[in-house]
Amino acid sequence: MHHIASAFKKQGYYCPIRVCSAAEAFTLRHNLEQWEGMLEGGKASKDMRFRPHLLLPWLWDLVMKPEVLDAVEAVLGPDVLAWSSEFNIKEPHTDSFFSWHQDSTYAGLEPSDDVLTAWIALVDVNEANGCMQYIPGTHHKQLPHVETNDHNNMLSRGQTIPNVVDESSAVNVVLKAGEMSLHHFRLVHRSGPNKTDDRRIGYTIRFISKRVALTTQRKVRESITLCRGVYAPEEGNFDLDVRPDELMGEAEVARHREAMARENANYFDSANVTGYKH
């Protein structure tokens, strides 16, 4: 795993990493779409798209998968926690996109060098269906962003980096179903629209080290998921999530609602605005 850590430190990302088979990825997609079929309107509400591993046992198990955590631990060290997670879905033949941005812009997690984003492909992801693009080496400092009103921009505030560094160096993050990419919290990246006949489906997990849980201050205490190592709420600034026993059970829904209320209280003035979408 040393090669992952060294490449990540130099470039700000590493990919691809095989974390499950294509058949397992197909099952994950099936589980997702079966869950969507249970929901009003056939899709997750804004809040429900975030931290869904608190609602769905099969997603909690994906967050805890050794193949995922082995790669993350190579970068962050032995104490690994998941701060948040979400589905990133682009429907077929839509103009939705993500502008050039850094995940770290509104998060307030410190130190940023101890935060990374894992992006797991549930389908084959390529330029045609809107794969991510990274600009290597742009993870060393926070850049200024401006907020836009483009309704096709899937970022919560339409945040974008004006006059981004040399786009000619951008790398397409092409992944097969069941593969994962890791990128630094400050790495500049974007993704284009999905022009194909199928959905582009990814699952994002934001991992932090124990040091972030001890250092980051919040107006309201949020919760995090302990994946590996040791962390106790009394020593840090976050409470701990509980594994869901039942899919969308009453207790699970209540805990998820509370977790999202805490997050929204820290980041958004309006309860109608949510999320860190990538």
Side-chain angles (χ1 to χ4, degrees):
M1 291 291 175
H2 176 72
H3 62 288
I4 293 178
S6 59
F8 189 93
K9 183 176 181 179
K10 179 180 179 181
Q11 301 181 27
Y13 72 92
Y14 187 88
C15 64
I17 303 165
R18 173 64 64 181
V19 296
C20 63
S21 68
E24 289 175 300
F26 179 85
T27 298
L28 291 169
R29 176 179 181 166
H30 173 75
N31 291 345
L32 163 65
E33 293 180 339
Q34 192 173 48
W35 174 55
E36 288 176 320
M38 298 169 51
L39 303 174
E40 184 178 351
K43 65 178 182 179
S45 64
K46 284 184 176 181
D47 270 359
M48 205 168 282
R49 289 210 334 266
F50 298 91
R51 302 181 187 239
H53 69 285
L54 303 185
L55 295 167
L56 310 172
W58 54 270
L59 263 188
W60 180 282
D61 293 342
L62 179 59
V63 171
M64 297 294 182
K65 208 168 191 306
E67 292 85 349
V68 173
L69 296 180
D70 287 346
V72 173
E73 182 178 337
V75 177
L76 295 183
D79 300 312
V80 176
L81 303 106
W83 171 56
S84 188
S85 72
E86 76 239 28
F87 282 109
N88 298 136
I89 301 172
K90 293 178 182 174
E91 300 298 342
H93 298 288
T94 54
D95 293 323
S96 300
F97 71 95
F98 293 100
S99 53
W100 288 116
H101 69 285
Q102 295 165 301
D103 294 342
S104 53
T105 305
Y106 295 115
L109 297 175
E110 295 295 341
S112 292
D113 287 329
D114 280 16
V115 187
L116 63 77
T117 299
W119 204 101
I120 303 172
L122 303 193
V123 300
D124 291 350
V125 177
N126 49 51
E127 193 171 8
N129 65 3
C131 69
M132 285 188 294
Q133 291 182 304
Y134 296 153
I135 299 185
T138 54
H139 58 296
H140 297 297
K141 65 178 180 178
Q142 179 66 40
L143 300 174
H145 288 58
V146 297
E147 297 180 8
T148 67
N149 295 314
D150 191 327
H151 69 279
N152 288 321
N153 193 333
M154 296 176 71
L155 289 165
S156 56
R157 305 182 186 183
Q159 59 264 33
T160 188
I161 302 171
N163 305 315
V164 72
V165 294
D166 185 11
E167 292 188 33
S168 66
S169 64
V171 174
N172 288 325
V173 187
V174 176
L175 300 172
K176 294 290 188 183
E179 290 183 338
M180 173 178 77
S181 67
L182 300 179
H183 67 262
H184 192 287
F185 212 38
R186 290 194 304 267
L187 188 74
V188 175
H189 61 290
R190 72 172 178 185
S191 64
N194 179 7
K195 298 302 183 182
T196 70
D197 296 331
D198 195 13
R199 308 173 88 188
R200 188 215 75 164
I201 306 173
Y203 183 60
T204 297
I205 312 162
R206 286 184 189 80
F207 288 103
I208 65 174
S209 73
K210 181 178 179 178
R211 190 155 66 116
V212 177
L214 299 179
T215 303
T216 299
Q217 298 290 326
R218 289 286 193 250
K219 180 174 63 176
V220 176
R221 281 178 72 96
E222 294 179 33
S223 62
I224 50 177
T225 301
L226 178 60
C227 303
R228 273 192 182 169
V230 178
Y231 169 77
E234 56 269 22
E235 65 178 322
N237 299 308
F238 294 80
D239 295 325
L240 283 178
D241 295 317
V242 177
R243 185 189 191 279
D245 292 322
E246 181 183 348
L247 190 149
M248 294 288 289
E250 184 177 340
E252 286 75 9
V253 170
R255 288 195 296 263
H256 177 267
R257 185 181 297 117
E258 172 66 19
M260 290 309 303
R262 293 187 191 193
E263 180 176 318
N264 288 338
N266 284 326
Y267 300 111
F268 303 105
D269 294 329
S270 168
N272 296 321
V273 183
T274 190
Y276 295 89
K277 313 169 201 174
H278 300 85

